[in-house]
Amino acid sequence: MTLKVKSLCSWVVVGVLSFSVTYSVGAESLQNGDLINPSMTKSDNAVLSKLMNSLDPKDRENVTYIDETGKVLVNKESLRKEVIRLEPVSQDTYKDSKSSLLSVTQNTYKDTTGQLYTFPVLQPKPDCIVGNNPTPTPMDFSTNSASFPVCRDLRNGAYRGVYAHMGFAWATTRIHLPSRKEIYENPSKYTGSTGFVYMGGWGNTNNAVDAGLQHSPKYNDWAPFLLIEGRGAPITYTPRFEGDQDIQMKFYVPSDGIVALVISGYDTSGTKVTKTYAEAAPGWTATGNGNIIKRMTSIAQIQDHDDYKDGSYIKNVAWYGSFIGSSSEDNIPWRSSQTYGFCSSPRNKIFIDFVHAGRETVDIILE
């Protein structure tokens, strides 16, 4: 199958994608002295009310918003304790296989208990293909040889990415999270191998966002997280979601300069929950102008300590039911017409059961 690759820097018009925001009086609770959250000031309630009115109506039950100053605003005070701030690990020294001492200073974080976290490194926005630049060879969408025109190995782990054309502001998908037997992360602190499934992308001013779920090798569960360029260390959340289930993940821009991650599934207590995590993200536009949305599966490793033969693997990560558009009321199935490209890095470690651009099952095997 041969498909034309469209310019990343051009707008994509598929059907009619008009932008609209539905304002719901249900989220506005400031009349007659009533507050969304009586534990917060009226001004903070007003900020949160404005945000909630811009969210999809189904996403307003449990809302946590972190503004540009780092202040946490929640519509239920019980949600505040679910925010786990991480701090960069300034320097950890490990021994490699040759007993050399090595310093690690990038993409490693810790919480207040000292537990270490390895995150993917935020990727640069894909290069535009414009003007007299050579047109890339049409991509084979059906195999793992399909390649992003600039498929970077950032030396911080293996990953599979699906990248939409520029111009969208809303996307949702179903994901099957692997069972315990389908995921293994080498416990070596030297590589820090950690499984991830996430969305995100880049805004109009090239600001990168990673937003999704991080696997815990210790507990075999999945923690929501947001990592936003220019905002410091990532933020992770409880409750965690259990493995071996199909969850709904949504990523969108409810208003300019804010992104939202919505996860629906069963938490580790067996309770079905929907959680909305929103954070200030400069440069992201609610119209979609300049945005590029992505879907990612990865085994993150410590920067420059990558080992693609450490025995780690993540299997049977099934992505399906993917839709993309400008809003919850204006979207279409995510197919090849909405897709700029794919990246499997390194190619010989990524195995794809490909159905179409919105449905594929990913295995990453580092052997």
Side-chain angles (χ1 to χ4, degrees), residues 173-250:
T173 187
R174 298 283 292 175
I175 311 170
H176 175 74
L177 301 177
S179 65
R180 181 178 293 275
K181 67 180 181 180
E182 293 168 329
I183 184 168
Y184 168 75
E185 294 113 320
N186 189 310
S188 168
K189 291 184 179 180
Y190 173 74
T191 59
S193 292
T194 308
F196 284 84
V197 295
Y198 58 105
M199 300 178 74
W202 300 267
N204 189 41
T205 55
N206 302 339
N207 289 68
V209 170
D210 288 348
L213 293 171
Q214 176 200 40
H215 184 250
S216 166
K218 182 176 182 180
Y219 301 108
N220 189 39
D221 54 21
W222 297 81
F225 77 94
L226 280 164
L227 175 57
I228 297 177
E229 186 172 4
R231 297 298 308 277
I235 295 176
T236 186
Y237 298 87
T238 60
R240 294 171 178 263
F241 289 79
E242 63 184 20
D244 197 17
Q245 68 163 316
D246 291 16
I247 58 99
Q248 187 83 31
M249 182 181 294
K250 186 190 299 185

Side-chain angles (χ1 to χ4, degrees), residues 1-6 137-147 160 162-163 165 334-342 352-360:
M1 177 173 58
T2 301
L3 300 176
K4 291 184 178 180
V5 178
K6 300 181 182 179
T137 301
M139 292 176 290
D140 180 358
F141 286 82
S142 63
T143 73
N144 68 323
S145 64
S147 175
R160 166 67 171 182
V162 180
Y163 307 85
H165 279 291
W334 187 336
R335 298 290 189 269
S336 60
S337 296
Q338 293 74 46
T339 305
Y340 173 60
F342 303 80
I352 310 298
D353 181 3
F354 186 92
V355 179
H356 52 66
R359 185 184 182 101
E360 65 177 22

Side-chain angles (χ1 to χ4, degrees), residues 24-326:
S24 168
V25 295
E28 175 59 68
S29 309
L30 299 181
Q31 297 179 1
N32 301 321
D34 293 332
L35 301 176
I36 295 173
N37 182 351
S39 298
M40 299 193 309
T41 66
K42 187 171 184 178
S43 60
D44 285 347
N45 273 272
V47 170
L48 187 60
S49 176
K50 182 178 180 180
L51 168 67
M52 291 180 65
N53 274 320
S54 68
L55 293 171
D56 292 351
K58 293 182 179 180
D59 302 339
R60 299 172 184 170
E61 182 179 357
N62 299 291
V63 179
T64 301
Y65 170 53
I66 300 178
D67 72 8
E68 62 278 0
T69 70
K71 179 185 289 187
V72 178
L73 307 180
V74 290
N75 69 326
K76 299 174 182 177
E77 191 59 26
S78 60
L79 298 173
R80 192 177 301 276
K81 68 178 183 297
E82 298 180 357
V83 179
I84 301 175
R85 295 186 183 273
L86 303 181
E87 296 292 335
V89 175
S90 58
Q91 184 172 356
D92 269 12
T93 302
Y94 302 123
K95 288 185 177 181
D96 67 6
S97 58
K98 298 179 181 179
S99 297
S100 301
L101 294 179
L102 300 166
S103 295
V104 176
T105 58
Q106 299 187 59
N107 74 307
T108 308
Y109 305 88
K110 63 181 178 181
D111 60 21
T112 56
T113 69
Q115 181 176 345
L116 295 177
Y117 299 78
T118 301
F119 278 82
V121 170
L122 289 169
Q123 298 182 6
K125 194 172 187 178
D127 295 334
C128 294
I129 300 174
V130 294
N132 296 321
N133 290 342
T135 300
T137 301
M139 292 176 290
D140 180 358
F141 286 82
S142 63
T143 73
N144 68 323
S145 64
S147 175
F148 207 46
V150 181
C151 191
R152 302 175 176 90
D153 180 359
L154 299 180
R155 297 186 57 81
N156 69 283
Y159 65 92
R160 166 67 171 182
V162 180
Y163 307 85
H165 279 291
M166 187 180 292
F168 297 110
W170 184 98
T172 189
T173 187
R174 298 283 292 175
I175 311 170
H176 175 74
L177 301 177
S179 65
R180 181 178 293 275
K181 67 180 181 180
E182 293 168 329
I183 184 168
Y184 168 75
E185 294 113 320
N186 189 310
S188 168
K189 291 184 179 180
Y190 173 74
T191 59
S193 292
T194 308
F196 284 84
V197 295
Y198 58 105
M199 300 178 74
W202 300 267
N204 189 41
T205 55
N206 302 339
N207 289 68
V209 170
D210 288 348
L213 293 171
Q214 176 200 40
H215 184 250
S216 166
K218 182 176 182 180
Y219 301 108
N220 189 39
D221 54 21
W222 297 81
F225 77 94
L226 280 164
L227 175 57
I228 297 177
E229 186 172 4
R231 297 298 308 277
I235 295 176
T236 186
Y237 298 87
T238 60
R240 294 171 178 263
F241 289 79
E242 63 184 20
D244 197 17
Q245 68 163 316
D246 291 16
I247 58 99
Q248 187 83 31
M249 182 181 294
K250 186 190 299 185
F251 175 81
Y252 63 105
V253 188
S255 59
D256 288 348
I258 297 175
V259 296
L261 169 70
V262 184
I263 307 290
S264 297
Y266 290 93
D267 66 19
T268 53
S269 72
T271 303
K272 183 69 175 292
V273 297
T274 296
K275 299 283 186 172
T276 299
Y277 313 100
E279 190 168 346
W284 283 79
T285 63
T287 62
N289 181 32
N291 299 342
I292 299 174
I293 293 178
K294 65 182 182 180
R295 308 194 316 264
M296 305 289 293
T297 308
S298 75
I299 297 178
Q301 295 181 329
I302 295 171
Q303 181 74 57
D304 296 324
H305 294 252
D306 50 302
D307 180 358
Y308 297 150
K309 295 183 179 180
D310 80 343
S312 299
Y313 56 81
I314 180 170
K315 301 177 181 179
N316 199 30
V317 179
W319 299 79
Y320 66 99
S322 304
F323 288 78
I324 195 165
S326 56

